[in-house]
Amino acid sequence: MAANRRPTLADVAREVGVSAKTVSRVLNEDGPVSAQTREQVLAAVAKLGFQPNLMARNMRVGGPDTTVGLVVPDLGNPFFAAVARGIEDGVRERGLMLLMGSSADDPDRERALTAEFLARRVSILIVVPSVGSHHSHLKAHRTAGLPIVFLDRPGAGLPTDSIVSSNRAGAQDGVTHLIAHGHRRIGFVGDLPVKLYTRRERLAGYRAALREADIPYDRSLVADAHDQQGAEAATSRLLELADPPTALFAGNNIMALGIVVELARSKRKDVAVVAFDDVSLAEALEPGLTVVAQDPEEIGRSAAATALARLDGDRSRARTITVPTRLIVRGSGERPGPRP
Amino acid sequence: MAANRRPTLADVAREVGVSAKTVSRVLNEDGPVSAQTREQVLAAVAKLGFQPNLMARNMRVGGPDTTVGLVVPDLGNPFFAAVARGIEDGVRERGLMLLMGSSADDPDRERALTAEFLARRVSILIVVPSVGSHHSHLKAHRTAGLPIVFLDRPGAGLPTDSIVSSNRAGAQDGVTHLIAHGHRRIGFVGDLPVKLYTRRERLAGYRAALREADIPYDRSLVADAHDQQGAEAATSRLLELADPPTALFAGNNIMALGIVVELARSKRKDVAVVAFDDVSLAEALEPGLTVVAQDPEEIGRSAAATALARLDGDRSRARTITVPTRLIVRGSGERPGPRP
DNA sequence: ATGAAAGCGCTAACAA
DNA sequence: TTGTTAGCGCTTTCAT
């Protein structure tokens, strides 16, 4: 069967014997329409299976597209998936949908995605900026009224709203928890690149906790990895040091998976662990994995709320909203430290 | 500062002193343009910060929007997040983006989302159908050439391509594994509603395994839950039966989390477990969680590939593609069964 | 209560 | 190599 042309407003109008404008009035409950005409129009709409073309409507009306453009590093990462759900939650009642793309933390892909979103005239742009990406080219759009929100990390080259977790304080809490249980040699397994905002902030929190306890910072206890496998290897390397750590701090959820898996594989039950960001099954481990939990859905909802406020005319200064983290103690931070 | 009108093609043309069509030619690398004109146009584009309006372009060209409409029950579920990534992977090189929405397994919301997608003239529609949703209203669109793919579950009322896991065989493998290790009273914790396709298929696999081993089917060993907390409660109830199960089979990833967490909390190390769908940290548990792993990204890529083939004119009969599952033995299925 | 004409921003199909 | 005209499907404006 050949691909039929989809019916248009004009087709419906012709079917009923009225003008296109009348059909439009019925569908948008615009001007006055007689009950009978309305009936006939609705019948024809149903008969032809007409569905108004939103692109055409949007274009004529001149307003933005009713979508939220969202760029995340990886759609498959549970953290960003939860963030996306939070955003969707926050904008659904305003009738906005999510237009999404993964940047893989590549500035070029991020830029291509944002360009595409802009070309589509999204109502809101929400971006988890990649390391090395600049956003000065977005300035004109922001000035023109497009709400732009940076998420998880602040953006470079453009003063605008950002939503971040309390990375530094949260990491400090987590590491302090380890110190309180007698640990003085604490490894840090962070993601890459090292310039990544969250990585730096969390490392700063780690160092602040050490400083607070008068423990010297030992660079050799800081390891890096790109992914879970890398974190497993990093964990293994740290534990093979001449003077190895008795505890490990995971810089994010993926690093946490690597650390925990490697410790399980090597049956190292003597190493304490605290992770930044919660992971599923954390409470089912033995002992339970102590984490500095983020609230990704709240981050998403907060981004949505901020952007919607801008859409509604809020012209106040750009703010950075910090979503608090919460230390959830489950036991893994209390594993025996070095003998006193 | 007032919201400035965004520059249009005509603005650029005026700036340079050429016609709109010429600008269009430069931007789309369409017809021939003199090097000098091209330079000037590009300069003006940069100067004005012009970005072509994709909606207008699409409309004029008459083609569909370069988006994939995707409806999933829950964006935050790692399984669907991974599926989404697979789809994105599969369509990116064709220049398609993801337009997403969560249905919460509510047929009305699913319908609202698909209607919105249709109104937006998506190039492809991919849906995880809710229980009770019907899709006969999509028939005309499919006939008109819109590729429609059902994912994870087949759709009702419309013969079209579907991508599913080998639910029945996979579940049978998992339960057979438990039986091979001496278990005869095996509980099944499935999600709701009970009419859900995946739930029914996996339960059928469970029953097939029992039948194969001449173990009578005991309805009291089948429990249901909506979410992780529900699965925890269901696990607890099963274990309190007069003649309790010595092993449990989880109907999906969320049920698995509930079972594992509840067993850890009640320190029941004597209960064997196999889960349908892999979860992170499964290998770090003690013993590792044996699972029937799905391949969500492959499901997504497969859906993308199927839809793209349809877009390219494939008019063959609707097929159902079954993505194989794989039993990953990690130990939890081998916990001691009843004494012989 | 309804319709005709114009135009949103862009490109196809022609000319020149 | 470039411009002109028309029109995608819809809504606005102004008539009737």
Side-chain angles (χ1 to χ4, degrees), chain B residues 150-171:
Chain B
F150 291 125
L151 211 115
D152 192 46
R153 318 161 186 172
L158 184 70
T160 189
D161 301 314
S162 306
I163 320 288
V164 298
S165 282
S166 56
N167 291 296
R168 195 182 294 228

Side-chain angles (χ1 to χ4, degrees), chain A residues 9 21 24 28 50 53 57 60:
Chain A
L9 237 169
K21 177 63 208 176
S24 168
N28 299 311
F50 168 74
N53 184 327
R57 170 174 220 290
R60 175 63 246 228

Side-chain angles (χ1 to χ4, degrees), chain A residues 28-44:
Chain A
N28 299 311
E29 304 188 338
D30 200 12
V33 186
S34 81
Q36 180 179 344
T37 312
R38 147 181 247 88
E39 295 286 310
Q40 291 177 306
V41 168
L42 258 28

Side-chain angles (χ1 to χ4, degrees), chain B residues 9 22-30 41-42 45 50 52:
Chain B
L9 216 118
T22 299
V23 179
S24 168
R25 274 197 267 258
V26 173
L27 266 51
N28 298 311
E29 304 189 337
D30 200 11
V41 167
L42 258 27
V45 164
F50 169 76

